[in-house]
Amino acid sequence: MTAALEIAGIRKAFGDKLAIESLDLTIPQGATYGLIGPSGAGKTTTIRMIMSILFPDRGTINVFGQGSALMAKDRIGYLPEERGSYRKMTVGAFLTYMGCLKGRTRAQAYGRADRLLGRLGLADVNARKCEDLSKGMLQRVQFVAAIINEPELVILDEPFSGLDPLSVRMLKEVITEEQQRGATIIFSTHVMAHAEELCEQIVMIHQGRKVLDEPIAGLRRQYDTRRILLEPLDPGANLLALQALPCVEDVKLNDQGCEVSLHAGMDPGDAVRAIAGVVAPARIELARIRLEDVFIRLVGESNGVHESPEALRTHLQGLSNTGAAA
């Protein structure tokens, strides 16, 4: 399949701070890739190099076979992490203008903008000035501007940042429509659950280096599931009794019941049967692999860190909440 994006050996440093080192990446047309990692990992720097906003110190980037995104700009839709709009313009005029810049007629741009605004709960904002919108409303308008021309490549840098849950759900639905249309999508986020839900391939970056480039399906095969979710038939059952089982490493209680972590090398099927023999289940199932857990394991291995998963998870959450430039 023809590649929408080919990156070979790019490196970028700002003074003595290394942002990206030896990054190779090939994204086929029509694929949806999640570019994930904590804030400061190098995701936004990578995207800015793809968009020719920044230029690598070495290495090459090809977009649709062109040596620069500038040569394929009408085929690309980009939502940057730092949002921007012509704040004195009305929403309708702004989106129509953006569509015309990307080769659409005024009628085409206005019609697509009107439909997308309706899908995103903004059907009545066409005549309002951008500066009069709330932050969340303006963010949805800027998302529409990014895809107004039905781009072949859609690059979204932290598209859900600061949005309420309903707005997040609406954006996800439109992103899914873009996937079904055949667009190639690069989705950057430090919220790994979003990438897990939307993406077919995951690229993890840590401290400027790629530490993973795998399909979601492959991750689930490669990283064994060592967590079992249990909802007991008897709400008063003693779930902590499960800690006595040889296969069980830890039991964490929750509102539904508990999450059971298994020792390395334990067979999940045998563990399920053993757990059910101690506590009668209303529901028992293997937990799906979480990208956060994969990332924590990879980061711990690459750094030679031997902290507990809980300590590493706290460290990752701290990185994600720093607000540092990515």
Side-chain angles (χ1 to χ4, degrees):
M1 181 180 291
T2 305
L5 175 68
E6 295 176 289
I7 295 174
I10 62 171
R11 181 185 193 274
K12 184 66 179 178
F14 300 97
D16 60 357
K17 179 175 175 55
L18 183 64
I20 290 292
E21 177 62 79
S22 303
L23 178 61
D24 297 307
L25 182 62
T26 300
I27 299 181
Q29 290 189 28
T32 300
Y33 271 53
L35 186 62
I36 69 174
S39 297
K43 305 183 301 296
T44 294
T45 297
T46 299
I47 287 175
R48 288 174 177 169
M49 286 190 284
I50 293 170
M51 291 299 300
S52 296
I53 297 169
L54 298 173
F55 296 92
D57 299 330
R58 66 166 179 255
T60 60
I61 300 174
N62 289 295
V63 182
F64 295 117
Q66 304 290 332
S68 167
L70 299 175
M71 302 170 69
K73 63 183 187 309
D74 288 349
R75 303 170 69 181
I76 303 171
Y78 173 42
L79 178 68
E81 185 177 25
E82 292 83 15
R83 319 301 187 203
S85 65
Y86 294 99
R87 300 183 66 84
K88 296 296 183 181
M89 296 179 72
T90 65
V91 170
F94 167 65
L95 293 175
T96 300
Y97 175 65
M98 296 300 293
C100 290
L101 285 180
K102 293 289 188 176
R104 294 296 186 263
T105 66
R106 290 183 61 84
Q108 289 171 336
Y110 187 87
R112 178 161 165 81
D114 191 57
R115 186 186 75 81
L116 288 171
L117 289 172
R119 293 282 290 106
L120 295 172
L122 299 173
D124 59 347
V125 303
N126 261 315
R128 295 176 62 181
K129 288 185 177 181
C130 292
E131 67 180 357
D132 294 333
L133 301 182
S134 69
K135 182 178 178 180
M137 294 170 70
L138 186 57
Q139 187 164 328
R140 281 175 277 167
V141 168
Q142 291 161 338
F143 172 74
V144 172
I147 63 171
I148 189 70
N149 60 318
E150 296 184 286
E152 297 170 60
L153 173 61
V154 179
I155 301 177
L156 306 173
D157 195 355
E158 300 287 0
F160 305 129
S161 177
L163 291 180
D164 63 83
L166 179 59
S167 296
V168 168
R169 186 176 71 180
M170 290 188 290
L171 246 67
K172 285 180 179 179
E173 290 173 353
V174 176
I175 291 171
T176 299
E177 289 180 4
E178 294 299 291
Q179 292 172 319
Q180 294 169 346
R181 179 174 63 78
T184 305
I185 297 176
I186 301 174
F187 172 74
S188 170
T189 183
H190 68 269
V191 182
M192 300 188 187
H194 293 327
E196 188 172 358
E197 178 181 353
L198 291 169
C199 300
E200 62 196 67
Q201 183 97 1
I202 297 298
V203 176
M204 289 185 181
I205 296 180
H206 175 55
Q207 295 180 349
R209 296 178 181 272
K210 184 174 75 173
V211 296
L212 185 72
D213 186 356
E214 293 284 346
I216 285 285
L219 286 175
R220 290 175 180 145
R221 290 192 298 268
Q222 182 178 352
Y223 292 90
D224 60 308
T225 299
R226 290 168 50 191
R227 295 181 300 118
I228 293 173
L229 304 180
L230 171 66
E231 182 180 336
L233 190 61
D234 176 8
N238 180 17
L239 299 177
L240 294 179
L242 297 171
Q243 291 178 324
L245 291 172
C247 60
V248 172
E249 180 179 63
D250 190 25
V251 176
K252 293 181 180 179
L253 304 181
N254 55 43
D255 292 341
Q256 288 74 41
C258 66
E259 178 181 300
V260 180
S261 299
L262 306 180
H263 288 293
M266 294 294 103
D267 179 82
D270 291 343
V272 166
R273 287 186 285 272
I275 290 168
V278 174
V279 176
R283 179 178 63 89
I284 187 169
E285 63 184 34
L286 295 177
R288 296 181 63 182
I289 188 71
R290 294 184 301 199
L291 288 177
E292 180 181 304
D293 294 330
V294 174
F295 186 84
I296 288 168
R297 191 183 308 184
L298 288 170
V299 169
E301 291 172 356
S302 67
N303 290 347
V305 175
H306 301 290
E307 296 180 83
S308 68
E310 290 75 16
L312 281 168
R313 183 173 289 107
T314 299
H315 174 66
L316 174 63
Q317 290 170 344
L319 288 173
S320 297
N321 291 330
T322 59

